[in-house]
């Protein structure tokens, strides 16, 4: 479905991102994953190599525009273009506001929002030059309903939706589609790290009766990345088993 497309995926070393890497690779794309550290990128590439998947990897500091720009330029020099950019890297939070420092709030906004500005700003000139592209962002179910603690996380994901809808309008004349996927509770380290008391009642309340698997989410990204979604832009696609928590 995305044969010979060049796809860059941030937060591609584990969880949802790693599954998007696999799904895109299986569907014919040349995939370049980003991770936060050299070691985690090497570990992910090793795992993928054992699965006979040829994937490339980088670890730019996503909060540093110049570093991101240099990396995107390097990728375009090597592969000729970037067709698909997936902004998936993200961190969550669950502390009450009194226990949250302003630095913790800033760190969430820096990775979950500012980094998207940096990767998109560095990629758009290349997409325009190539005649178009697809930008996909990982939002969250909490971008619709908020959550009762960890206010930085839903705040950042509401911003992701705003950025997605605005850039969809700004970049449509350049034939660049911009969409987001809003997963519900998905079986990754991010959820494993949250307190059981918080997660178990949420899972019980999901109408489809189970937590999402990374592949459920990755398939939605594949659809939005492909020409099947050629007239879809500015959309926030929920993949949450109809959870409304
Ligand atoms: P995860 O913790 O398993 O993976 C996070 C990814 O982000 C990793 O690849 C990691 O390398 C990268 N990352 C973390 N900090 C980074 C940094 N400082 N710089 C660069 N990269 C960094 O989490 P996940 O559950 O796979 O989450 C992926 C995305 O999905 C996030 O944006 C998250 O907000 C979103 N999401 C997850 C769930 C869920 O239930 N798991 C639900 C809704 C949305």
């Amino acid at each position: 479905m995305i044969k010979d497309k060049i796809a860059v995926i941030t937060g591609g070393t584990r969880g949802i991102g790693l599954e998007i890497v696999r799904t895109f690779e299986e569907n014919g794309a040349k995939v370049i994953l980003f991770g936060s550290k050299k070691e985690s990128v090497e570990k992910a590439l090793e795992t993928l190599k054992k699965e006979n998947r040829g994937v490339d990897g980088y670890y730019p500091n996503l909060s540093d525009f110049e570093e991101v720009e240099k990396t995107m330029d390097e990728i375009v020099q090597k592969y000729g273009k970037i067709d698909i950019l997936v902004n998936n890297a993200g961190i969550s939070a669950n502390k009450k506001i009194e226990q949250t420092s302003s630095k913790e709030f800033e760190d969430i906004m820096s990775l979950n929002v500012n980094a998207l500005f940096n990767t998109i700003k560095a990629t758009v000139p290349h997409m325009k030059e190539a005649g178009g592209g697809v930008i996909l962002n990982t939002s969250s179910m909490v971008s619709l309903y908020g959550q009762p603690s960890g206010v930085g996380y839903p705040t950042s994901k509401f911003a992701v939706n705003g950025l997605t809808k605005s850039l969809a309008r700004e970049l449509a004349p350049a034939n660049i589609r911009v969409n987001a996927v809003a997963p519900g509770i998905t079986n990754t380290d991010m959820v494993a790290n949250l307190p059981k008391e918080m997660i178990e009642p949420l899972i019980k309340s999901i109408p489809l009766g189970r937590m999402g698997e990374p592949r459920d989410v990755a398939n939605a990204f594949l659809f939005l990345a492909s020409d099947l979604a050629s007239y879809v832009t500015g959309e926030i696609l929920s993949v949450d088993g109809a959870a409304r928590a």
Side-chain angles (χ1 to χ4, degrees), residues 27-47:
N27 282 272
K30 174 69 211 173
V31 181
I32 299 110
L33 66 80
F34 283 8
S36 56
K37 294 190 292 274
K38 185 170 187 266
E39 305 81 67
S40 53
V41 168
E42 282 174 356
K43 191 172 155 226
L45 294 183
E46 186 88 349
T47 304

Side-chain angles (χ1 to χ4, degrees), residues 12-245:
T13 58
R14 57 174 198 261
I16 291 170
L18 181 57
E19 208 56 24
I20 300 172
V21 170
R22 290 189 174 108
T23 306
F24 279 21
E25 193 271 341
E26 283 162 24
N27 282 272
K30 174 69 211 173
V31 181
I32 299 110
L33 66 80
F34 283 8
S36 56
K37 294 190 292 274
K38 185 170 187 266
E39 305 81 67
S40 53
V41 168
E42 282 174 356
K43 191 172 155 226
L45 294 183
E46 186 88 349
T47 304
L48 291 160
K49 201 170 161 198
K50 281 188 194 141
E51 298 170 6
N52 287 321
R53 301 173 202 266
V55 171
D56 203 352
Y58 292 81
Y59 42 91
N61 176 359
L62 298 179
S63 303
D64 180 337
F65 174 72
E66 266 91 53
E67 209 176 309
V68 171
E69 189 181 40
K70 200 169 141 253
T71 307
M72 294 305 188
D73 291 351
E74 223 176 288
I75 290 168
V76 171
Q77 266 190 9
K78 190 165 169 189
Y79 295 99
K81 59 187 175 144
I82 297 171
D83 298 298
I84 304 164
L85 167 66
V86 179
N87 287 301
N88 170 74
I91 44 173
S92 73
N94 59 54
K95 288 194 244 170
K96 296 287 182 194
I97 191 160
E98 298 95 319
Q99 277 81 52
T100 304
S101 67
S102 55
K103 165 85 169 61
E104 285 169 327
F105 186 84
E106 278 165 20
D107 286 347
I108 289 215
M109 296 302 283
S110 173
L111 181 65
N112 293 13
V113 184
N114 298 18
L116 275 65
F117 173 85
N118 290 338
T119 56
I120 294 171
K121 186 175 156 70
T123 307
V124 159
H126 297 299
M127 287 185 168
K128 282 189 170 170
E129 206 181 316
V134 177
I135 297 170
L136 302 175
N137 303 318
T138 307
S139 182
S140 166
M141 167 175 86
V142 305
S143 75
L144 304 173
Y145 311 108
Q147 65 181 27
S149 60
V151 67
Y153 185 60
T155 303
S156 71
K157 296 299 187 181
F158 271 77
V160 168
N161 293 2
L163 178 145
T164 301
K165 286 177 176 290
S166 300
L167 287 178
R169 296 176 66 177
E170 180 177 330
L171 299 174
N175 192 30
I176 299 171
R177 294 189 293 106
V178 189
N179 289 293
V181 173
I185 301 163
T186 310
N187 192 8
T188 70
D189 290 352
M190 183 177 276
V191 167
N193 292 335
L194 292 172
K196 254 186 164 175
E197 321 74 84
M198 184 177 169
I199 290 301
E200 278 178 356
L202 290 176
I203 295 173
K204 282 203 181 111
S205 72
I206 299 170
L208 272 185
R210 65 171 176 89
M211 188 163 32
E213 291 301 324
R215 186 55 69 127
D216 294 318
V217 180
N219 284 337
F221 277 96
L222 175 63
F223 163 67
L224 289 171
S226 78
D227 286 345
L228 289 178
S230 56
Y231 200 54
V232 181
T233 193
E235 186 61 27
I236 315 297
L237 177 56
S238 289
V239 180
D240 60 6
R244 294 293 177 262

